[in-house]
Amino acid sequence: MTAPVMINAYDPSSAGNLDPAVSELIARRERVLGQPYRLFYEEPVHFVRGAGVWLYDAAGNKYLDSYNNVPSVGHCHPRVVEAVARQASQLNVHTRYLDEGIVLYAERLLQMFPHDSSRLMLTCTGSEANDLALRIARTHTAGTGIIVTANAYHGITSAVAQISPSLGLHVPLGYDVRTVPAPKDYGGARDPGEVFMRDVEHAIADLRRHGIRPAALIVDTIFSSDGVFAGSPGFLAPAAEAIRAAGGLFIADEVQAGFGRLGTHMWGFMRHGISPDLVTLGKPMGNGYPIAGVAARPAVLDEFAAKARYFNTFAGSPVACAAGMAVLDVIEDEQLMENAHTVGLHLKEGFEALSKRYPELGSVRGQGLFLGVDLVSADDLSPAPQLAARLVNELRRRRILISASGPHGHVLKIRPPLPFTTEHADMLLAATDEAMKALTTSVG
Amino acid sequence: MTAPVMINAYDPSSAGNLDPAVSELIARRERVLGQPYRLFYEEPVHFVRGAGVWLYDAAGNKYLDSYNNVPSVGHCHPRVVEAVARQASQLNVHTRYLDEGIVLYAERLLQMFPHDSSRLMLTCTGSEANDLALRIARTHTAGTGIIVTANAYHGITSAVAQISPSLGLHVPLGYDVRTVPAPKDYGGARDPGEVFMRDVEHAIADLRRHGIRPAALIVDTIFSSDGVFAGSPGFLAPAAEAIRAAGGLFIADEVQAGFGRLGTHMWGFMRHGISPDLVTLGKPMGNGYPIAGVAARPAVLDEFAAKARYFNTFAGSPVACAAGMAVLDVIEDEQLMENAHTVGLHLKEGFEALSKRYPELGSVRGQGLFLGVDLVSADDLSPAPQLAARLVNELRRRRILISASGPHGHVLKIRPPLPFTTEHADMLLAATDEAMKALTTSVG
Ligand SMILES: Cc1ncc(COP(=O)(O)O)c(C=O)c1O
Ligand SMILES: Cc1ncc(COP(=O)(O)O)c(C=O)c1O
């Protein structure tokens, strides 16, 4: 079973000497929330305050957040907080009354998309957005087949869990779901875009051979749970063409890559010069306020709109739209996309330099403020998830927050709030250097 | 196709003379949101402010809200707004870091449940809560069969839409879903609890005959979309026993009935002296902040927790829990459950009195501040959805907000914010009286 996200989870059976207050809170938590709620780190952290790229524990220690992309414009950004507070004190109703906020927000957001994607549907979570995208795609195509990458994560509803192989063997994929290998760098020997297209075409043929009509290819455009892969601009285009040629839709899942994180574009798919049929949005959209959605080509929605009704009690409320609008304002005014580009380049170079010094640091991938760094065995370069877990915990002790991901759990996932500066990047690099020194000398 | 919620929808083709500002906003809205987004009323309303039981339009006119149960403790309640604003400015992270807010909230909320339901899982929406409940039930029982009432609505994810017959014929139910007639009053001729149990037993047998193992019976404990039915205390117990005897779970959907609205109990199922295996919560939980969840018997979660992982990015965040906690505080401090009881009795008596005067007002059902009143033909007492729609629009012109529901769309659904007083109830009753007078003299 793949358990990428959980490689660093707190394990009561092997927990060291925890602060008694932390132990007690963990015990109370387990009593009411139970097992499904895992905690990060051998020694879980209890934060009480956040600001910008920093989180503070009860003792007042500050931790550099190099991992969280939900508080994308910075923890507790005052402009978002103020927008939410102001709107919440004024009006908060559902979408069956007229409201200008949702119209203004949709108009503004859709301007950031290719002309084709001119309709917006709002949900509360990324899972709901992908679930809705599946319903729309299946209605539009009259097919059910979905193609995903081998360790994809798209969310947690019944239907979306069935297209999320990273949830592990205990959560079986749907009978009409096919996985394809995630794109990767073949060191110049093969073209990743061509290989990916060929794999998608094979999956289409396999679905057809089972009498299943293909409905969609869905990809996280930064391939986060597959271990992070940006690839060269344009490489996704042939696969998108292939699914369309087969009558299916191309769905870009921008829950991870979206809202400027990749530095050069607002959305990951834009790097590839393609215009998806459906684009799903989430995480950073409200800087922590639950808002997510689907941008769509109008024609793709027609059938669904005529047949199915969609009403989501909380989605598209004035407060959700105020949060969303404030996030767009801050990204623009603070030039966070440009910052992601500049600081991302600096950080990537820094990790590349480190990887030259530590044979255990392998390939450095990604773009902007979304990077992945492989932890490998120095002997045979095979994935080293235990080392990744040790590094993550070692960095936590040095008050740097990070996690590991990928099918083997050996990929350091670096994805800080966007106001991350070169100074923050240097702190992360220096701490990684020290941690690697400590780990590679002590464990050999 | 049943379209209960939409009987009063705005229809561009038959719209009268709208305020030009409203028309323009509608046109802009349609451009970006498109068809799936329907609007209430022949003449949609554009609110700009809300407070307590009142909503205000741009011209400053105030409307008495007799319909919305999401702003359950009152529109823009200052204590909830303040709790959200304070927490949002302090810290908002996901559940993989330790946080005391979620533990305190879960402890407090679970105290309001029978001892058995001692675990809480949090989601953002009622649909996600029911989707999760389905996953848990199907994992625990190793069955897939679900039994629902004939016009139930449980939400909008792919899986939950498949157990929501009220979405209409274009959204087919799952092959492993069976509907049973919603319980109703047989005028003493038959016992509603016994009939319901017998229907559930039949559905179980039918599932079995198809080789489908029953996983759960799920009911909205106030049968809102089925047309509102409270019934006598205890009547649900035999059906709950029946599904359990068959190895399935009993799921109480409290998204509509929960949080004190029924006046006598915090949850609808409590009226029946039963302890459900799973209880789903939503709408009023955060007074508009997106928070929902599942309360569960721990044993029911074991299998799911061991096998499946559940992570919901925004759910259970410090801000969501602060909103939830503030709602519980207000319900308690302002004695809103007691108010729902008192005012609910007064309102019900008032509608019963009206129904004696207007033959078009039929049966009055429900409990607390959740009432349903049938609109019927004076000739043969058959459902009169057109009259219901006219009444809803007539009341809107008199600045009273209400809607219609039920399989035929002929049930007036009365479900105001809980701080509704007897004076508000009298305003609603007087307006209904006048509107009925106008409608029944003009249309005969
Ligand atoms: C690519 C991707 N899609 C969708 C989701 C689901 O979002 P949510 O947790 O808001 O449901 C996630 C969450 O991690 C994600 O990474
Ligand atoms: C009984 C019931 N369950 C679940 C839901 C779904 O809640 P949400 O719209 O928050 O997904 C609703 C919404 O109307 C409902 O009435």
Side-chain angles (χ1 to χ4, degrees):
Chain A
M1 193 181 108
T2 59
V5 194
M6 284 296 108
I7 187 89
N8 321 300
Y10 163 71
D11 177 354
S13 64
S14 68
N17 281 341
L18 294 184
D19 176 300
V22 166
S23 291
E24 201 220 306
L25 188 55
I26 293 177
R28 282 171 59 201
R29 187 180 191 270
E30 291 199 340
R31 222 146 34 226
V32 286
L33 302 182
Q35 271 200 44
Y37 281 80
R38 320 274 156 101
L39 286 166
F40 274 151
Y41 305 122
E42 284 165 9
E43 193 184 334
V45 219
H46 177 190
F47 296 118
V48 297
R49 194 161 76 79
V53 298
W54 299 100
L55 284 166
Y56 299 80
D57 70 15
N61 301 309
K62 66 181 195 175
Y63 292 69
L64 180 65
D65 187 351
S66 310
Y67 179 68
N68 288 294
N69 64 337
V70 173
S72 188
V73 302
H75 286 278
C76 307
H77 195 292
R79 283 180 73 181
V80 184
V81 173
E82 215 237 295
V84 166
R86 190 173 355 103
Q87 186 60 53
S89 70
Q90 225 165 337
L91 179 75
N92 203 24
V93 286
H94 54 73
T95 53
R96 280 177 178 159
Y97 304 115
L98 271 175
D99 174 49
E100 201 175 7
I102 191 175
V103 176
L104 288 169
Y105 180 62
E107 288 173 346
R108 170 110 177 258
L109 186 68
L110 290 170
Q111 271 170 17
M112 301 171 164
F113 281 86
H115 181 68
D116 273 6
S117 301
S118 59
R119 286 285 190 286
L120 184 67
M121 292 185 72
L122 290 165
T123 65
C124 291
T125 68
S127 297
E128 286 190 329
N130 281 327
D131 195 293
L132 175 57
L134 292 183
R135 288 188 69 198
I136 294 169
R138 285 169 167 160
T139 305
H140 180 75
T141 60
T144 65
I146 307 286
I147 301 168
V148 296
T149 54
N151 203 51
Y153 180 71
H154 295 292
I156 207 66
T157 63
S158 301
V160 177
Q162 291 195 350
I163 66 160
S164 291
S166 77
L167 287 171
L169 292 179
H170 283 306
V171 183
L173 299 183
Y175 75 98
D176 46 13
V177 176
R178 294 295 178 276
T179 63
V180 290
K184 61 172 193 168
D185 191 344
Y186 298 95
R190 298 159 78 198
D191 171 8
E194 216 172 289
V195 175
F196 192 55
M197 176 198 70
R198 204 196 56 99
D199 289 339
V200 167
E201 281 180 340
H202 178 78
I204 291 168
D206 184 73
L207 283 169
R208 285 232 173 93
R209 189 58 196 80
H210 287 79
I212 299 168
R213 190 190 289 209
L217 163 68
I218 177 168
V219 299
D220 164 357
T221 59
I222 191 66
F223 299 93
S224 170
S225 59
D226 279 300
V228 184
F229 184 70
S232 344
F235 94 81
L236 271 179
E241 270 322 295
I243 186 72
R244 280 186 177 145
L249 302 185
F250 177 69
I251 306 174
D253 180 337
E254 295 286 343
V255 168
Q256 291 282 351
F259 291 94
R261 175 162 295 276
L262 302 192
T264 53
H265 301 81
M266 194 67 174
W267 318 111
F269 70 80
M270 283 184 143
R271 296 179 59 242
H272 303 287
I274 50 184
S275 178
D277 299 288
L278 295 164
V279 182
T280 57
L281 310 169
K283 289 194 189 278
M285 195 167 183
N287 212 48
Y289 193 95
I291 173 171
V294 182
R297 286 201 298 112
V300 162
L301 282 184
D302 283 349
E303 189 96 353
F304 183 77
K307 288 189 169 174
R309 267 178 262 118
Y310 188 84
F311 179 70
N312 184 315
T313 298
F314 303 124
S317 74
V319 177
C321 293
M325 197 65 127
V327 166
L328 296 182
D329 284 339
V330 176
I331 292 176
E332 230 168 77
D333 294 354
E334 300 186 7
Q335 301 185 289
L336 293 179
M337 188 162 93
E338 295 73 11
N339 187 67
H341 182 66
T342 324
V343 179
L345 283 176
H346 179 79
L347 196 56
K348 199 172 182 188
E349 281 170 18
F351 273 106
E352 278 160 353
L354 281 180
S355 90
K356 294 216 173 72
R357 291 180 32 225
Y358 294 99
E360 293 87 355
L361 290 179
S363 149
V364 179
R365 294 175 305 276
Q367 185 178 305
L369 285 175
F370 208 129
L371 301 181
V373 181
D374 286 349
L375 273 290
V376 295
S377 144
D379 301 334
D380 59 2
L381 304 185
S382 64
Q386 296 311 326
L387 180 59
R390 280 199 299 272
L391 177 57
V392 165
N393 280 296
E394 185 59 36
L395 283 170
R396 177 244 174 278
R397 277 187 284 276
R398 291 163 196 270
R399 304 204 181 115
I400 306 264
L401 304 176
I402 207 77
S403 190
S405 171
H408 311 286
H410 76 304
V411 183
L412 207 64
K413 189 155 88 178
I414 301 150
R415 195 188 53 176
L418 298 185
F420 212 68
T421 63
T422 46
E423 289 72 42
H424 300 134
D426 289 340
M427 293 166 98
L428 168 59
L429 290 163
T432 307
D433 189 357
E434 286 172 31
M436 284 303 293
K437 209 173 296 167
L439 289 172
T440 52
T441 48
S442 70
V443 300
Chain B
M1 193 180 108
T2 58
V5 194
M6 284 297 108
I7 187 89
N8 322 300
Y10 163 71
D11 177 355
S13 63
S14 68
N17 283 340
L18 295 183
D19 177 300
V22 166
S23 292
E24 200 220 305
L25 187 55
I26 293 177
R28 281 171 58 200
R29 187 180 190 270
E30 292 199 339
R31 224 147 31 227
V32 287
L33 302 182
Q35 271 199 42
Y37 281 80
R38 321 272 157 102
L39 287 166
F40 274 150
Y41 305 123
E42 286 165 7
E43 193 183 335
V45 218
H46 177 189
F47 296 118
V48 297
R49 194 162 75 79
V53 298
W54 299 100
L55 284 166
Y56 299 81
D57 69 16
N61 300 308
K62 65 181 196 177
Y63 292 69
L64 179 65
D65 188 351
S66 309
Y67 180 67
N68 288 295
N69 65 337
V70 174
S72 188
V73 302
H75 286 278
C76 307
H77 195 293
R79 283 179 72 180
V80 184
V81 173
E82 214 237 298
V84 166
R86 190 172 355 102
Q87 186 60 55
S89 69
Q90 226 165 337
L91 180 75
N92 202 26
V93 286
H94 56 72
T95 54
R96 280 176 177 159
Y97 304 115
L98 270 177
D99 174 50
E100 201 175 6
I102 190 174
V103 176
L104 287 168
Y105 180 62
E107 288 172 346
R108 171 109 178 258
L109 186 68
L110 290 170
Q111 270 170 16
M112 301 172 164
F113 282 86
H115 183 67
D116 271 7
S117 302
S118 59
R119 287 283 190 289
L120 184 67
M121 292 184 72
L122 289 164
T123 65
C124 292
T125 68
S127 297
E128 285 190 330
N130 282 326
D131 195 294
L132 174 58
L134 292 182
R135 288 188 69 198
I136 295 169
R138 284 169 168 162
T139 305
H140 180 75
T141 60
T144 66
I146 307 287
I147 301 169
V148 296
T149 53
N151 203 52
Y153 180 71
H154 294 293
I156 206 67
T157 63
S158 302
V160 178
Q162 292 195 351
I163 66 160
S164 291
S166 76
L167 287 171
L169 292 179
H170 284 307
V171 183
L173 299 183
Y175 76 97
D176 45 13
V177 177
R178 293 295 178 275
T179 64
V180 290
K184 61 172 192 167
D185 191 346
Y186 298 94
R190 299 158 78 198
D191 171 7
E194 216 172 290
V195 175
F196 192 56
M197 176 199 70
R198 204 197 54 100
D199 289 339
V200 167
E201 281 180 341
H202 178 79
I204 292 168
D206 184 73
L207 283 170
R208 286 232 174 91
R209 188 58 195 79
H210 288 79
I212 299 167
R213 190 189 290 210
L217 163 68
I218 177 168
V219 298
D220 164 357
T221 59
I222 191 65
F223 299 93
S224 169
S225 59
D226 279 299
V228 184
F229 184 70
S232 342
F235 94 82
L236 270 178
E241 269 322 295
I243 186 72
R244 279 186 179 144
L249 303 186
F250 178 70
I251 306 174
D253 180 338
E254 296 286 344
V255 169
Q256 290 282 353
F259 291 95
R261 176 161 294 274
L262 302 192
T264 53
H265 301 81
M266 194 67 175
W267 318 109
F269 70 80
M270 283 184 144
R271 295 179 59 242
H272 303 287
I274 50 185
S275 178
D277 299 288
L278 295 164
V279 183
T280 56
L281 311 170
K283 289 191 188 281
M285 195 166 183
N287 211 46
Y289 194 96
I291 173 171
V294 182
R297 288 202 296 113
V300 162
L301 283 185
D302 282 351
E303 189 95 355
F304 183 77
K307 288 188 169 176
R309 267 178 262 116
Y310 188 85
F311 177 70
N312 184 316
T313 299
F314 304 124
S317 74
V319 177
C321 293
M325 197 66 127
V327 166
L328 296 181
D329 284 339
V330 176
I331 293 177
E332 229 169 77
D333 294 354
E334 300 186 8
Q335 301 185 289
L336 292 179
M337 189 163 92
E338 296 72 10
N339 187 66
H341 182 65
T342 324
V343 179
L345 284 177
H346 178 78
L347 196 57
K348 199 172 183 187
E349 280 169 19
F351 272 106
E352 278 161 353
L354 281 180
S355 89
K356 294 217 172 71
R357 291 181 32 226
Y358 294 98
E360 294 86 354
L361 290 180
S363 148
V364 179
R365 296 175 303 277
Q367 185 178 306
L369 284 174
F370 208 129
L371 301 181
V373 181
D374 287 347
L375 272 291
V376 294
S377 145
D379 300 335
D380 59 0
L381 303 185
S382 64
Q386 295 312 324
L387 180 60
R390 281 200 299 271
L391 177 57
V392 165
N393 280 295
E394 186 59 35
L395 284 170
R396 177 243 174 276
R397 277 186 284 275
R398 291 163 196 272
R399 305 205 180 114
I400 306 263
L401 304 175
I402 207 79
S403 191
S405 171
H408 310 287
H410 77 304
V411 183
L412 207 64
K413 191 155 88 179
I414 300 151
R415 195 188 52 176
L418 299 185
F420 212 68
T421 63
T422 46
E423 290 72 41
H424 300 133
D426 289 340
M427 293 167 98
L428 168 60
L429 291 164
T432 307
D433 190 356
E434 285 172 31
M436 285 303 293
K437 208 172 295 166
L439 290 171
T440 51
T441 49
S442 71
V443 300

